[in-house]
Amino acid sequence: MDYLTAIGSLFTAEGRDDPYPAYDAIRAHAPAIAVPEQGVFVTSHALVNRLLREPTVRVADTRNYDEFWPTWRENRGVASVVLSMLQSNPPDHTRVRRAAAATFTPRRIAAMRDVIAGQVEDLVEAMPSEADYMTAFAYPLPVGVICALLGVPAADRPWFRQRAHDLTVVLEPISTDEEMRLADVAGRDLEDYFVGLIAARQHSPQEDLTTALVEAGALTGEEMLANLVLLLVAGFETTANLLGIGLRLLLDHPAEADRLRADATLASSFVEEILRYDSPVQLTSRFATEPLDLGDGVTVAPGSGVTMLLGAANRDPERYPDPHRFDPDRPTIQPVSFGGGAHYCLGSPLARMEAQVAFPLLLTMLPRLALNGDPVRRDRLVLRGYSTLPIRTSS
Ligand code: HEM
């Protein structure tokens, strides 16, 4: 497969189902490739790490959107993401990220371990003997955890789950009009909800992250809303996909699953290898603001797009020998699945903890857990995972 066909295939259903052959074909041509009108595609682990930390390589912000898509503010789903820290650059990004990071303290996250374990146990106990694991476990867990962190009452969680699900489509490069309409409705609903939650916390503070953000006072009202919505959206589908991808890999590698079942202290290296092997976020995009020389005759012109194929970087044979093998015993895994540099995933300690708690508990509480039919991939390029994963819990 030549590299242009390979890049094109990522935008087809087949390529989305298994993008790894295309990544190999692109990488075989060069670690970074300039494609006319589409910008530069990067597959090398070292280069992705470098570019994520390059100050002149920035995320598209409101100015870019005003120029290329003047009506973007009319879709509240899109607007909530564009106005959040994910799509802002310094100095706004630095200020907002600092305020949010100050609420995401190691103490607050460590305190979530028992909450996560409690929710895992409740979900496992309620699991029927035949179920879709995504519906019964992988989606409810991250929503339950982020809602507990933000101070959203348990009764509102199913409502949140649907809205978060509808909104994540704005993170994809291609979506239908109907999907964008649902994302708009979800963005409006979630903002209305958070307006109410912020007012409630201003009136009567609680021990939650929403109260901490309100009390920090560093964010405008619009920024607070956008970033509360972001915390929900950024952490929901991504973590659900990590839980789906990880379970599938464990069921496909029963000897490895037995090792984890017998020794939960292996959970950290298992989760890193799951993240590396099949990253729940496959790519992230930037724009160059200055000319950039990437070596091998590849230069990036100012204004040109830079697409970092995180899923490809995680399978770069220069960094990981035998990259297509699932091997939790690899030394220093360090995948780029959570990005890097200024936008490095704020929720990574939480996501890691959810997976590290969930997998050993699932394996020990459900020793006969097995696939019960063919898993179905989500037809998405950026947020990779399963839409259904049929399981049975008794033989
Ligand atoms: C940013 C991945 C879970 C909150 C990011 C980025 C990636 C990522 C790749 C960087 C995007 C970029 O550079 O353009 C993931 C994965 C997750 C996960 C794979 C789960 C397996 C979470 C959770 C939360 C969260 C649980 C919060 C509760 C955020 C936020 C940002 C972010 C706020 C933006 C940071 C910034 O712009 O400074 N995530 N994420 N993520 N993530 Fe996550």
Side-chain angles (χ1 to χ4, degrees), residues 85-86 93 97 104 146 230-231 234-235 238-239 242 280-281 284 286 310 337-339 342-347 350-351:
M85 70 182 112
L86 186 65
H93 178 264
R97 167 93 188 199
F104 243 80
I146 193 69
L230 175 71
L231 285 178
T238 48
T239 311
L242 169 61
V281 177
T284 183
R286 298 286 191 272
L310 306 175
S337 313
F338 290 117
H343 292 276
Y344 183 74
C345 177
L346 184 66
L350 185 66

Side-chain angles (χ1 to χ4, degrees), residues 184-196:
D184 178 32
V185 173
R188 285 170 203 276
D189 283 355
L190 286 167
E191 286 191 3
D192 288 347
Y193 187 94
F194 281 125
V195 167

Side-chain angles (χ1 to χ4, degrees), residues 38-240:
Q38 292 191 50
V40 173
F41 290 79
V42 187
T43 49
S44 133
H45 191 271
L47 214 45
V48 163
N49 264 315
R50 181 191 138 192
L51 289 171
L52 284 169
R53 287 164 181 79
E54 186 70 60
T56 62
V57 177
R58 301 184 144 212
V59 296
D61 61 19
T62 51
R63 275 166 310 166
N64 303 77
Y65 279 86
D66 286 341
E67 191 178 330
F68 296 113
W69 186 7
T71 56
W72 63 272
R73 276 177 193 268
E74 286 169 22
N75 184 313
R76 289 311 300 167
V78 173
S80 57
V81 172
V82 175
L83 293 166
S84 75
M85 70 182 112
L86 186 65
Q87 291 297 111
S88 64
N89 287 305
D92 288 336
H93 178 264
T94 321
R95 173 178 52 83
V96 174
R97 167 93 188 199
R98 193 172 294 148
T103 65
F104 243 80
T105 56
R107 207 173 120 247
R108 191 186 300 276
I109 302 308
M112 291 304 290
R113 183 172 279 274
D114 290 346
V115 174
I116 295 169
Q119 291 198 16
V120 169
E121 282 164 9
D122 290 350
L123 289 168
V124 170
E125 274 157 20
M127 188 119 57
S129 58
E130 295 195 358
D132 168 30
Y133 166 81
M134 297 308 296
T135 315
F137 188 86
Y139 283 124
L141 181 65
V143 174
V145 171
I146 193 69
C147 286
L149 195 66
L150 293 174
V152 171
D156 294 343
R157 287 175 197 165
W159 184 93
F160 259 81
R161 194 190 128 184
Q162 188 56 47
R163 302 295 176 295
H165 186 76
D166 289 348
L167 196 54
T168 49
V169 73
V170 301
L171 300 174
E172 294 289 334
I174 298 173
S175 44
T176 63
D177 289 348
E178 177 58 8
E179 285 172 336
M180 287 304 264
R181 191 190 65 76
L182 287 173
D184 178 32
V185 173
R188 285 170 203 276
D189 283 355
L190 286 167
E191 286 191 3
D192 288 347
Y193 187 94
F194 281 125
V195 167
L197 191 65
I198 291 167
R201 294 305 184 265
Q202 279 164 338
H203 182 255
S204 103
Q206 306 279 324
E207 281 296 312
D208 58 36
L209 197 142
T210 308
T211 305
L213 261 187
V214 168
E215 289 180 344
L219 272 55
T220 65
E222 192 181 50
E223 285 170 346
M224 187 118 74
L225 282 181
N227 285 291
L228 281 170
V229 173
L230 175 71
L231 285 178
L232 180 67
V233 183
F236 161 60
E237 197 92 35
T238 48
T239 311

